[in-house]
Amino acid sequence: MTVSHAEPVTVAVARRADPARTEEMVAWMRAGTALAEAFPGFLGAGWVRSAPGSGDWHMLYRFADPDTLRRWEESPQRHWWLTSAQGIVEHTHVERRTGIEGWFDPPRTAAVEPLDAEPTVAQSPPRWKQAVTIWLAFFPLSLTATLLTGQFLPGLPTAARVLVMTLTLTPLMTYLVLPRITRALHWWLHGREAPWRGQRTPRA
């Protein structure tokens, strides 16, 4: 069995519609979410609106990896759903977020509202928790890189050594270490109970 290590992908699609057709817009987005829910890898969806009464909408949906996202985006179900809104909805912008982007910060000027729940506002973890998380990821990488460059590149000038380290550490932090440590510490970053505390062995 092959295990995929690809990161989840969040897609934000900006759309514009007549504010007078808000109910139709919400119903259309609900229909799209219902279709996407049937696809493997679907992790959730919601919508962002910059202000009450605005005609600008941002629909968010998230899939487990690029492959499952592609199957949804290339599906006849999604094609039918998009064509059903012709003349009502204008598509203006698409943004995909992976890697280090968006690990901490929620939308800064909009409220994220799940399509099947009451409106909620996303909250960032406290700044000090973000700093601790980044330090936990950066310290072992920096220490390892310092030891290795000192051993294998002892005659390299300091500026060149720092250049080699930063060129190596930046992609490692962005695509490998930080995504995994933020996922592992998600409970702590958002003030939730540690997952192992809820996993107690039942008594015989």
Side-chain angles (χ1 to χ4, degrees):
M1 180 177 66
T2 301
V3 179
S4 174
H5 296 286
E7 296 295 332
V9 183
T10 300
V11 181
V13 185
R15 296 183 169 102
R16 184 173 295 114
D18 185 346
R21 310 188 76 162
T22 295
E23 293 183 2
E24 295 173 67
M25 186 67 176
V26 172
W28 180 74
M29 290 190 294
R30 289 181 185 273
T33 300
L35 290 172
E37 286 176 347
F39 282 72
F42 177 77
L43 299 179
W47 56 269
V48 173
R49 203 175 186 189
S50 58
S54 171
D56 294 322
W57 303 72
H58 302 268
M59 187 173 185
L60 309 175
Y61 55 91
R62 187 170 175 85
F63 278 79
D65 53 56
D67 289 338
T68 55
L69 172 63
R70 185 176 64 254
R71 282 193 284 271
W72 157 247
E73 291 186 330
E74 296 177 355
S75 68
Q77 293 94 321
R78 180 174 181 269
H79 177 73
W80 170 84
W81 175 66
L82 290 175
T83 56
S84 69
Q86 289 183 355
I88 301 175
V89 179
E90 176 187 354
H91 307 274
T92 59
H93 180 70
V94 177
E95 180 180 358
R96 297 168 187 262
R97 302 178 68 86
T98 55
I100 199 171
E101 296 178 311
W103 283 109
F104 295 121
D105 294 335
R108 296 179 180 176
T109 60
V112 177
E113 304 190 13
L115 297 180
D116 56 354
E118 292 298 320
T120 58
V121 178
Q123 298 292 332
S124 294
R127 288 288 182 182
W128 69 270
K129 286 190 176 183
Q130 297 181 33
V132 169
T133 302
I134 294 173
W135 179 85
L136 288 173
F138 185 74
F139 173 72
L141 280 180
S142 179
L143 178 60
T144 302
T146 300
L147 294 175
L148 290 177
T149 54
Q151 180 177 355
F152 295 104
L153 302 171
L156 203 64
T158 301
R161 186 181 303 180
V162 172
L163 176 63
V164 170
M165 290 174 59
T166 53
L167 287 175
T168 304
L169 297 184
T170 299
L172 286 175
M173 279 283 291
T174 302
Y175 297 107
L176 182 65
V177 179
L178 192 56
R180 283 164 173 76
I181 197 168
T182 53
R183 188 163 55 242
L185 296 179
H186 185 269
W187 61 273
W188 177 72
L189 285 165
H190 295 276
R192 299 172 184 171
E193 185 179 14
W196 59 82
R197 291 184 180 179
Q199 298 176 355
R200 298 178 180 177
T201 304
R203 297 179 180 179

